[in-house]
Amino acid sequence: VEPNTIAYTTCIMAWRNSGHKDAGKRASFLLQKMEAYYDEGLHDLRPNVITYTNVMEAWISSGQHDSFERVKAILDHMIHRSKTVDSECAPTTICFNVALKAIRLSSEPMKDQKAQILFDRMKEMHESGDVKVKPSIQTYNAFFSACALTEGSPERRRAAFSIAINALLELQKKSNMHADSYTWPAVWKLCENLLDAEKDISWINRVFEYTVKSGAINELLFNNIRRFLPKEYLKKKIKTEKDVYDLTVHDLPSEWTRNVTLGKQSKKNQKKGRRK
């Protein structure tokens, strides 16, 4: 039996799932062999987008200090090779989403800037007619998650937050794309990681109003919000004198939860997510 694309890609996936420190290196070696064989005329060994994406994931799972740079190099290689050798290896939306994931999991301190460059490149490619790299809601979520882990001074973190909020405003203007159940938790993780709940109240007010307007506050998101916000702030917003940790999502104004399906209300309100 002659090896083919499926056989090689399956081996690459095995390295991806191994979690081994050499997973990226081994997967890249197999990819290079596939490309060499294909260039020699063995078209049964043509690497496809799934092959390249799994090599990228193998580098991420390897946890190496340069994993993001390796992932970015593969993405750059795909773009170049698709224009010069094989159009079928052109990157897709998923490839860019994986690269954003690599930024989030990297040791790069200024993740927002790396993510912004990658996101801008993706949008430029799509606006130039590349339909395969259209940003999706998963792209925006991955962008928010990467920005949320930006390190540095309070000023540096606020700058990262500003970049992410601009992307959120961009998303809200799109008529053909809407936030999903991962979007608002990712946005509030931005607040929690990058803002000061007391000093950055103007930013927090904006995000709070966006969130309420979405009608997408479920139990998980409510727990995230009350873990970060000062008690008195949230009590005023809800218009209650009760301890916010004694409330459930069923106690919130109905317009805050209108776009989510809530479970049955418990007979006993248990205190959850108490701040330390």
Side-chain angles (χ1 to χ4, degrees):
V1 178
E2 294 292 331
N4 57 20
T5 299
I6 294 175
Y8 266 79
T9 301
T10 300
C11 290
I12 288 170
M13 291 176 68
W15 278 113
R16 165 196 172 173
N17 295 328
S18 71
H20 195 279
K21 66 178 182 179
D22 291 332
K25 186 184 298 183
R26 296 300 185 96
S28 291
F29 174 74
L30 292 172
L31 174 60
Q32 289 167 8
K33 288 185 67 175
M34 290 180 73
E35 289 183 340
Y37 285 138
Y38 176 77
D39 294 346
E40 291 173 2
L42 297 177
H43 290 181
D44 284 344
L45 286 166
R46 183 186 205 178
N48 55 33
V49 172
I50 296 174
T51 310
Y52 287 99
T53 303
N54 276 282
V55 177
M56 295 165 75
E57 290 277 15
W59 275 110
I60 294 173
S61 69
S62 72
Q64 298 300 304
H65 68 90
D66 61 344
S67 289
F68 166 62
E69 294 303 325
R70 298 284 189 168
V71 169
K72 181 178 179 298
I74 293 169
L75 186 64
D76 292 340
H77 175 68
M78 292 177 72
I79 294 171
H80 175 73
R81 187 175 173 84
S82 69
K83 294 177 180 178
T84 58
V85 179
D86 182 11
S87 61
E88 289 302 310
C89 69
T92 64
T93 298
I94 292 175
C95 298
F96 276 87
N97 292 353
V98 170
L100 286 167
K101 174 184 174 181
I103 294 173
R104 173 171 61 85
L105 296 175
S106 73
S107 59
E108 169 63 45
M110 301 202 312
K111 292 180 173 65
D112 61 315
Q113 295 187 6
K114 296 288 186 181
Q116 184 71 72
I117 291 171
L118 192 67
F119 200 12
D120 286 345
R121 186 179 190 185
M122 183 184 188
K123 290 186 284 188
E124 287 169 7
M125 289 174 63
H126 182 254
E127 290 167 3
S128 297
D130 191 338
V131 297
K132 292 184 177 181
V133 295
K134 181 179 181 180
S136 64
I137 188 58
Q138 290 77 21
T139 308
Y140 280 90
N141 293 347
F143 180 76
F144 297 145
S145 295
C147 289
L149 295 178
T150 299
E151 301 173 9
S153 66
E155 291 74 22
R156 176 84 276 285
R157 295 199 300 273
R158 289 189 190 100
F161 184 83
S162 179
I163 287 173
I165 287 301
N166 286 337
L168 176 63
L169 294 176
E170 177 183 281
L171 170 61
Q172 291 183 313
K173 292 177 182 178
K174 293 183 178 294
S175 59
N176 60 344
M177 190 185 305
H178 304 284
D180 64 12
S181 59
Y182 295 95
T183 306
W184 290 109
V187 169
W188 279 94
K189 181 58 69 173
L190 284 162
C191 294
E192 186 175 346
N193 288 0
L194 304 178
L195 298 182
D196 184 300
E198 301 290 345
K199 297 179 181 178
D200 298 313
I201 197 66
S202 61
W203 280 117
I204 291 168
N205 281 333
R206 289 180 66 183
V207 174
F208 191 87
E209 293 306 315
Y210 296 152
T211 309
V212 168
K213 187 176 179 181
S214 75
I217 301 181
N218 58 18
E219 193 73 47
L220 175 62
L221 182 55
F222 181 46
N223 286 338
N224 291 346
I225 291 172
R226 66 180 169 184
R227 184 176 62 242
F228 171 66
L229 292 176
K231 280 186 180 182
E232 293 305 314
Y233 177 96
L234 197 51
K235 285 172 67 174
K236 288 181 181 179
K237 291 293 185 180
I238 300 174
K239 297 180 180 179
T240 183
E241 293 301 319
K242 296 180 180 179
D243 187 326
V244 294
Y245 293 102
D246 289 334
L247 303 178
T248 73
V249 70
H250 295 276
D251 298 309
L252 302 179
S254 59
E255 62 268 25
W256 293 16
T257 62
R258 68 185 184 281
N259 290 324
V260 295
T261 301
L262 303 178
K264 293 182 179 180
Q265 188 170 9
S266 174
K267 293 181 180 180
K268 294 182 179 181
N269 290 339
Q270 297 180 349
K271 296 181 180 180
K272 298 181 179 179
R274 183 174 298 279
R275 296 175 70 196
K276 296 179 179 180

